[in-house]
Amino acid sequence: MKVFIVPPNSLILFDLVERYGHEPLSLMGAIHERVTNPEIESPPINVTPEDVKKGLKYAGIEVPSGIRGRLAVWGPLIDQADAAIIMEDAPFEFGCVGCHRTDEMVRYYIKKRKIPHIIVKYPTNEDEAKIMVARIKEFLEGLK
Amino acid sequence: MIKVAQLSCGTEYSGVQAEIEKAAATVGAKMVYPDVDAKDIESAVEKFGFNPTSAQLKLMIARAVAITEGKYDADAVFISSCFRCAEAALIRNELRRWIQEHSRLPVVTYSFTERTKSGQLLTRMEALVTIVERKELLARERQVGLTAGIDSGSSTTKALIMRDNEIIGKFWHPTGEVIQCAEEALEKALLEAGVNRNQLEAIGVTGYGRFTIGKKLKCDLVQEELTVNSKGAVWLADRQKGEATIIDIGGMDNKAITVRDGIPDNFTMGGICAGASGRFLELTAKRLKIDISELGAMADKGDYRKVPMNSYCSIFGIQDLVTSLAAGHSLEDVAAAACHSVAEQIYEQQLQEIDVRHPVIQVGGTSLISGLVRAVGNVVGQEPIVPPNSQYIGAVGAALLSSGFLEGHR
């Protein structure tokens, strides 16, 4: 099954989803297509105003353009997702360099799509990490 | 190469990053992104004192702190975030203050939409580069020799002749074909000054038509209007030392500039909306069937509180005006409301982005509209200074600064 991960550039979540036999839908995957385009310089600079227009499907014109640009890339991934894993309170070093307003919208869309999803907190010690991985494992194994 | 440190959020995903870099490259600058260690981000946020939820805003803060602590070398700072993002707007403004309090780097802030093109950023980038590269020139307080300044604005073209720190000739007329208008204005100003063109020792040009005119007339100085106008304003108002805020409500865009000893240290340029410009007042005068020069006196006699008018759009602003006239309000009250509406929008769109420092010097053609000056005084809490020849600031600044190119910088 296709599993969308939040933060969408999380390598840990990407690895867990793959390890338990599913296809991770990540920012890296979405950007990969653009990186292979010959006109592209480097991600995410390859997001163009045309993409931002496509983001209108997910957020109205009155929404800041950076949010629409992000949603133009992440929105189609949520559309095709069969399930999602949301990790909250990820620290900066985790790879979640982003806009909190976009994060809020992404969580909202996942919930709106009513696909199976799990919300976990970023672990602060080893015990919490073990619990988090066990919960994600149980969730992924339960997806049919 | 001037290094402009970019502190931003959303530029990559808005598709405007390439435009920012293009604008910088056009004026000979390079955008740089101060390196910060991930482990230093939280401590920088704590030091700064404002802890935003968005991670990228935290990164902006850490980058700003790194610059002010001298951990990263930059010549100027460009702070930018999405238009309409409330959290970023708060951070943008506070970061600008932080940098100004902790360094002498010139800063410009800008909130962008995905429609932002490099042309819109060019004047701001050019001003940043000018402040860095031409600090010595900008510090000039006296004009020397015989020089001319031309200001090719969106509405009017002004030319002015100066000799040994005195204005000896000037002329303005509506802008049409830029070269022809500049040539004619210069000839008329020379006529008033009683000198020939070949006697001129230097010519400076600013305004929208500066590049075209600069090339054609072989001008010694071709410079954006932010730095030129601030120089002209402090010279005309005799406020060369200390701090001041310059407000220039133009025909097409508006400028609010703060200066310290005549050198701009922060500025903001509007232009998204014609409802906050001189153009709106021109439309108002036309609708009231009076000449624009009569609008100020008419507004002085009116009471803006009697007429509801506060539109972000010149078209809807005129609609408010028509409705108010139809409802039986006096022409004076409507004129006062139009002036007040422009002043309010200048306050909302621009003055929130800079620290208004007193005195406020109001310049540009619109400063001749007394009702508007009064309205600006109401919103900033102090009557602005309108120096003599206030509509010639660009031309004065250009004549003054171009004299810096004379041999030996007399």
Side-chain angles (χ1 to χ4, degrees), chain B residues 320-332:
Chain B
D320 280 348
L321 188 147
V322 170
T323 314
S324 304
L325 288 172
H329 288 289
S330 72
L331 298 184
E332 287 79 7

Side-chain angles (χ1 to χ4, degrees), chain A residues 27 31 41 44-49 51-53 61-70 73-74 92-93 96-101 104, chain B residues 9-18 21 38-39 41-42 53-59 82-87 112-115 117:
Chain A
L27 180 60
I31 290 290
E41 294 166 10
I45 292 171
N46 43 355
V47 174
T48 64
D51 286 309
V52 183
K53 264 192 232 167
I61 192 75
E62 72 281 3
V63 169
S65 49
I67 298 178
R68 271 183 284 134
R70 286 175 171 97
V73 182
W74 304 348
F92 204 89
E93 298 89 326
C96 117
V97 179
C99 164
H100 189 65
R101 309 297 152 202
E104 286 166 346
Chain B
C9 182
T11 52
E12 321 87 319
Y13 285 93
S14 293
V16 300
Q17 185 59 41
E21 298 196 7
K39 69 177 170 51
I41 293 173
E42 289 303 335
T53 312
S54 290
Q56 202 161 339
L57 291 175
K58 289 181 199 256
L59 179 60
C82 293
F83 180 55
R84 299 191 188 101
C85 177
E87 189 176 42
F112 56 83
T113 68
E114 70 275 22
R115 292 285 177 199
K117 297 294 170 214

Side-chain angles (χ1 to χ4, degrees), chain B residues 16-74:
Chain B
V16 300
Q17 185 59 41
E19 297 297 319
I20 294 171
E21 298 196 7
K22 193 171 152 191
T26 308
V27 297
K30 183 177 167 44
M31 301 310 294
V32 294
Y33 315 94
D35 299 324
V36 286
D37 201 316
K39 69 177 170 51
D40 294 336
I41 293 173
E42 289 303 335
S43 61
V45 169
E46 196 173 327
K47 193 174 284 175
F48 181 63
F50 190 138
N51 187 3
T53 312
S54 290
Q56 202 161 339
L57 291 175
K58 289 181 199 256
L59 179 60
M60 273 174 80
I61 293 170
R63 284 179 162 162
V65 172
I67 292 170
T68 54
E69 287 181 348
K71 291 178 185 163
Y72 193 89
D73 187 30

Side-chain angles (χ1 to χ4, degrees), chain B residues 168-197:
Chain B
I168 57 168
K170 56 186 190 287
F171 186 79
W172 74 270
H173 58 174
T175 300
E177 199 278 310
V178 290
I179 299 280
Q180 195 188 328
C181 281
E183 293 262 18
E184 198 183 328
L186 183 61
E187 286 309 320
K188 295 270 174 63
L190 284 165
L191 195 67
E192 187 182 296
V195 292
N196 295 322
R197 193 148 148 191

Side-chain angles (χ1 to χ4, degrees), chain B residues 79-130:
Chain B
I79 304 176
S80 198
S81 64
C82 293
F83 180 55
R84 299 191 188 101
C85 177
E87 189 176 42
L90 295 171
I91 295 296
R92 206 173 58 225
N93 204 31
E94 295 311 314
L95 272 189
R96 195 255 314 146
R97 285 185 187 166
W98 172 276
I99 290 167
Q100 287 184 321
E101 279 168 19
H102 294 85
S103 77
R104 298 285 287 179
L105 296 173
V107 187
V108 63
T109 59
Y110 191 71
S111 59
F112 56 83
T113 68
E114 70 275 22
R115 292 285 177 199
T116 300
K117 297 294 170 214
S118 59
Q120 291 162 266
L121 300 168
L122 204 58
T123 304
R124 294 165 177 85
M125 288 289 179
E126 201 184 341
L128 276 184
V129 169
T130 305

Side-chain angles (χ1 to χ4, degrees), chain B residues 76 100 104-108 124 126-132 134-135 137-139 223-234 240 242-246 255-268 354 357 401:
Chain B
Q100 287 184 321
R104 298 285 287 179
L105 296 173
V107 187
V108 63
R124 294 165 177 85
E126 201 184 341
L128 276 184
V129 169
T130 305
I131 294 166
V132 174
R134 295 185 166 172
K135 218 158 197 169
L137 185 69
L138 289 176
Q223 199 159 301
E224 38 62 46
E225 51 271 34
L226 284 160
T227 50
V228 172
N229 286 12
S230 36
K231 205 66 217 173
V234 294
Q240 304 263 13
E243 296 189 326
T245 305
I246 296 153
K255 298 160 203 84
I257 311 162
T258 54
V259 291
R260 192 181 293 160
D261 295 339
I263 298 177
D265 57 9
N266 191 29
F267 46 81
T268 165
I354 59 166
R357 303 174 195 158
L401 292 175

